[in-house]
Amino acid sequence: MGQESRLTVLCVVGARPNFMKIAPLIHAFRDSGGAIDAPLVHTGQHYDAAMKGAFFEQLGIPEPDVDLGVGSASHAVQTAEIMLRFEPVLDELQPDAVLVVGDVNSTIACALVAVKKSVPVVHVEAGLRSYDRDMPEEINRVLTDQISELLFITERSARDNLQREGVAVERVHFVGNVMIDTLRANLPRAVDPRETFAAEPMAEHLFEADRGYGLLTLHRPSNVDDPQVLAALLDTISELSRQIPLVFPLHPRTRGKIEAAGLMSRLQAADILLTEPLGYLQMLGVMSKARLVLTDSGGLQEESTALGIPCVTLRENTERPITVEQGTNTIVGTDPERIRLVVTDILQSGGKAGRIPELWDGRAAERIRDVLLTWRGCSSSVAAVG
């Protein structure tokens, strides 16, 4: 370490899902009694600058010390550009460790640069597996775990995955889920959907007590890149909106694919409120009041489980099996009949009750902080902090 009692952990954030994961870590490191210095690098992988600003402000994340400004590109170009721009930052800051979260291109790119320069890599949300190598995120997860020095897991099955892949058990720490730290900390501040949609004329009937609404998100390439798959999904979703109106915040990439395929009219004719991407507090408010969630997002599978809201996952698999085994999540793929049956069951019976998984208690970031301090022998420096 540069200073005997101070650990420098260079934290990397890249895309929107990372923001919710890094926020509680930044807060926990601030509360380390000065034992952890945590400069923040934003790779700029997420190209929605306005949304980045909204998330940083709402979650209390400080402005990044470094913004690489990479922007959108193909997987190869984006990963390479992040590596090129991150290397001189690493050389300048000389951290004791590089901390990466999740499974986006920024995660693997910065981890690769660090490990090749003999800087230990810390991976938060390690060990999750869908066993679907067609998902770019799965490749990022597997490779990042192989080169990480410390691996923090959200569920016990992740430890088994890592052991099967030859990761030494002493490098793996079960700490809980930092996404749920953020959810629990911010739920009291969630924006009421009536306020979020106050200017939307068609939104009033969303709040009818006897009917409610569902929340829909779509962004996975497997769902939106093939026009035929996308058209079939949108037809099914439009049909479902006759049973329950839907709120559909459109990911920029998804909107582009829908427009390019000429499918927007199918949504506009349905009982679906199309919106721009929502800030975290707005999205949390919409989700917390929804009767159900339809999604292909990993994060929403976790958040809906934490909130006790039935989730219908529009994928053939999940890297978060605990949301199915213990939570409120049901995997349905893209089969129209399967989707209809599960949604109808939820509307009639209320769906799976589920329970909150082990250690999803809002203190995962504190546990990560404590492991890091013990790892470098500075636990005594935060004795007063606890």
Side-chain angles (χ1 to χ4, degrees):
M1 280 185 292
Q3 296 181 33
E4 188 175 345
S5 61
R6 192 174 180 86
L7 179 69
T8 299
V9 180
L10 182 57
C11 298
V12 175
V13 68
R16 189 179 305 160
N18 291 171
F19 301 161
M20 290 86 82
K21 296 166 189 173
I22 209 71
L25 292 164
I26 294 294
H27 299 320
F29 296 160
R30 281 176 175 169
D31 293 338
S32 68
I36 298 180
D37 181 31
L40 181 63
V41 172
H42 180 39
T43 67
Q45 176 181 332
H46 197 284
Y47 49 80
D48 188 339
M51 189 56 63
K52 183 209 85 170
F55 270 69
F56 271 56
E57 180 181 343
Q58 290 184 355
L59 297 176
I61 305 172
E63 278 299 307
D65 297 275
V66 180
D67 194 331
L68 301 182
V70 170
S72 181
S74 70
H75 285 284
V77 170
Q78 190 176 69
T79 303
E81 193 62 36
I82 293 168
M83 293 178 72
L84 284 169
R85 299 189 191 193
F86 183 64
E87 184 174 28
V89 174
L90 194 64
D91 290 340
E92 178 185 351
L93 296 180
Q94 295 283 306
D96 299 298
V98 168
L99 184 149
V100 294
V101 297
D103 53 22
V104 299
N105 288 340
S106 297
T107 305
I108 182 61
C110 294
L112 278 170
V113 173
V115 75
K116 285 176 177 288
K117 287 181 166 289
S118 300
V119 178
V121 175
V122 177
H123 187 201
V124 174
E125 199 184 74
L128 298 179
R129 298 290 181 268
S130 67
Y131 293 99
D132 180 0
R133 293 294 180 96
D134 289 332
M135 291 179 64
E137 296 89 349
E138 182 78 354
I139 305 301
N140 293 344
R141 286 190 283 264
V142 172
L143 295 179
T144 302
D145 287 340
Q146 284 296 316
I147 59 177
S148 293
E149 177 74 18
L150 290 177
L151 302 96
F152 292 106
I153 61 174
T154 62
E155 56 182 89
R156 289 189 182 274
S157 68
R159 188 191 302 276
D160 298 332
N161 295 337
L162 292 168
Q163 284 188 273
R164 281 193 294 269
E165 294 168 7
V167 176
V169 66
E170 61 268 19
R171 289 158 52 196
V172 181
H173 300 268
F174 176 38
V175 294
N177 193 329
V178 290
M179 282 275 286
I180 307 308
D181 289 14
T182 296
L183 184 147
R184 286 179 174 271
N186 288 281
L187 193 56
R189 302 172 55 230
V191 178
D192 190 287
R194 293 178 185 273
E195 180 182 337
T196 299
F197 302 128
E200 298 285 352
M202 68 167 288
E204 185 56 37
H205 75 294
L206 295 176
F207 311 113
E208 295 171 1
D210 60 339
R211 195 178 187 206
Y213 64 89
L215 171 64
L216 166 68
T217 75
L218 282 177
H219 75 281
R220 296 281 177 191
S222 58
N223 281 338
V224 304
D225 282 8
D226 184 326
Q228 287 188 316
V229 172
L230 181 58
L233 259 178
L234 296 184
D235 283 343
T236 304
I237 288 161
S238 297
E239 182 184 329
L240 290 177
S241 74
R242 300 190 196 111
Q243 295 184 65
I244 183 169
L246 300 172
V247 177
F248 188 5
L250 273 172
H251 189 286
R253 189 169 177 278
T254 303
R255 179 183 288 276
K257 294 293 184 180
I258 292 173
E259 291 175 345
L263 298 172
M264 190 62 76
S265 59
R266 302 191 188 199
L267 293 175
Q268 292 167 337
D271 196 358
I272 299 175
L273 176 59
L274 299 173
T275 77
E276 294 300 315
L278 299 175
Y280 179 75
L281 296 179
Q282 286 76 19
M283 187 68 165
L284 184 55
V286 171
M287 181 166 43
S288 66
K289 299 292 177 63
R291 284 187 66 186
L292 61 88
V293 173
L294 295 124
T295 189
D296 56 11
S297 160
L300 262 66
Q301 294 172 49
E302 294 177 326
E303 291 172 324
S304 56
T305 279
L307 291 168
I309 295 168
C311 180
V312 182
T313 293
L314 306 172
R315 287 167 46 187
E316 301 298 335
N317 50 57
T318 181
E319 66 282 357
R320 293 162 166 88
I322 201 167
T323 63
V324 176
E325 295 160 4
Q326 297 182 20
T328 58
N329 189 18
T330 303
I331 307 295
V332 298
T334 57
D335 176 64
E337 187 58 29
R338 176 73 173 144
I339 297 170
R340 290 188 203 101
L341 284 172
V342 172
V343 170
T344 299
D345 177 66
I346 290 171
L347 295 178
Q348 291 178 350
S349 70
K352 296 168 67 174
R355 63 182 176 86
I356 306 299
E358 183 182 7
L359 295 189
W360 287 25
D361 58 1
R363 302 190 64 184
E366 297 174 26
R367 297 185 186 101
I368 291 169
R369 176 198 66 201
D370 294 346
V371 171
L372 285 170
L373 291 173
T374 302
W375 172 61
R376 280 304 177 106
C378 346
S379 55
S380 61
S381 63
V382 289
V385 179

